[in-house]
């Protein structure tokens, strides 16, 4: 219980410091998500690295970077890609989780490649959101729009076949 008290204590100290600095107008409110995610990651690295802190820390930190980028208009051209950048930030968050778990000294994470599935899926979706399909003839767009889930079914069949083959080889 004392470990949990330390985690909650650290979290409340960081949250209180943030709120105080914001009220004194020493920091801007746009960095709240970035600071919150960084707090989760700091606690993750300071403790025995529980995965329950890494996942929200990575996701919230990347969303904080996205929000900071969108709110402050560092590069005006980025506003054009706002939708795709959100999914890219989420995909990069899952890839960050993968790198932390894959290179971790602890080997008890089980299947360590799971973050790559949502990570790559979100990154691919980010690029699909931002690609203009004007180079594809209009009559083919209907077929692509209607039948693209067939690709997902084929990938599923490949995974099942691979699993079945490995199971047969192990017997």
């Amino acid at each position: 219980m004392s470990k949990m008290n330390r985690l909650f204590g650290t979290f409340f100290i960081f949250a209180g410091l943030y709120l105080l600095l914001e009220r004194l107008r020493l920091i801007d409110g746009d960095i709240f998500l970035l600071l919150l995610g960084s707090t989760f990651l700091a606690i993750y690295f300071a403790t025995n690295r529980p995965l329950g802190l890494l996942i929200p820390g990575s996701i919230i930190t990347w969303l904080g970077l996205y929000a900071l980028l969108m709110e402050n208009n560092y590069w005006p051209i980025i506003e054009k890609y706002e939708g795709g950048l959100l999914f890219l930030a989420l995909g990069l968050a899952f890839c960050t989780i993968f790198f932390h778990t894959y290179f971790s000294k602890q080997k008890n994470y089980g299947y360590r490649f799971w973050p790559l599935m949502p990570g790559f899926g979100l990154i691919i979706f980010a690029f699909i959101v931002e690609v203009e399909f004007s180079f594809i003839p209009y009559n083919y767009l209907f077929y692509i729009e209607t039948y693209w889930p067939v690709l997902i079914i084929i990938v599923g069949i490949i995974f099942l076949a691979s699993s079945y083959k490995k199971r047969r080889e192990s017997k």
Side-chain angles (χ1 to χ4, degrees), residues 117-171:
M117 292 176 200
F120 285 155
L122 287 165
I123 290 170
I124 291 168
F125 187 71
F127 287 114
I128 289 172
V129 165
E130 294 304 330
V131 169
E132 293 184 18
F133 293 103
S134 59
F135 61 91
I136 300 174
Y138 182 75
N139 55 347
Y140 291 121
L141 280 178
F142 168 77
Y143 295 109
I144 293 171
E145 181 181 306
T146 305
Y147 296 110
W148 72 266
V150 171
L151 292 174
I152 295 174
I153 294 168
I154 292 169
V155 169
I157 291 170
I158 291 170
F159 275 113
L160 286 176
S162 171
S163 171
Y164 180 72
K165 181 180 176 184
K166 286 180 183 179
R167 190 166 33 137
R168 284 189 71 201
E169 290 174 355
S170 67
K171 287 183 180 181

Side-chain angles (χ1 to χ4, degrees), residues 47-143:
T47 60
N48 62 352
R49 299 179 184 227
L51 200 56
L53 293 172
L54 175 63
I55 294 171
S58 295
I59 293 172
I60 294 171
T61 300
W62 278 101
L63 286 177
L65 287 171
Y66 167 79
L68 190 64
L69 194 62
M70 289 297 117
E71 292 296 323
N72 290 318
N73 295 328
Y74 292 121
W75 300 287
I77 196 167
I78 286 182
E79 288 180 2
K80 179 181 173 186
Y81 304 108
E82 187 173 356
L85 286 175
L86 173 64
F87 293 108
L88 181 64
L90 288 171
L92 291 173
F94 281 102
C95 291
T96 303
I97 294 166
F98 164 73
F99 284 114
H100 283 285
T101 58
Y102 185 77
F103 295 111
S104 171
K105 293 178 183 174
Q106 298 176 352
K107 300 296 181 189
N108 61 355
Y109 284 124
Y111 189 62
R112 296 184 298 177
F113 292 96
W114 72 266
L116 291 180
M117 292 176 200
F120 285 155
L122 287 165
I123 290 170
I124 291 168
F125 187 71
F127 287 114
I128 289 172
V129 165
E130 294 304 330
V131 169
E132 293 184 18
F133 293 103
S134 59
F135 61 91
I136 300 174
Y138 182 75
N139 55 347
Y140 291 121
L141 280 178
F142 168 77
Y143 295 109

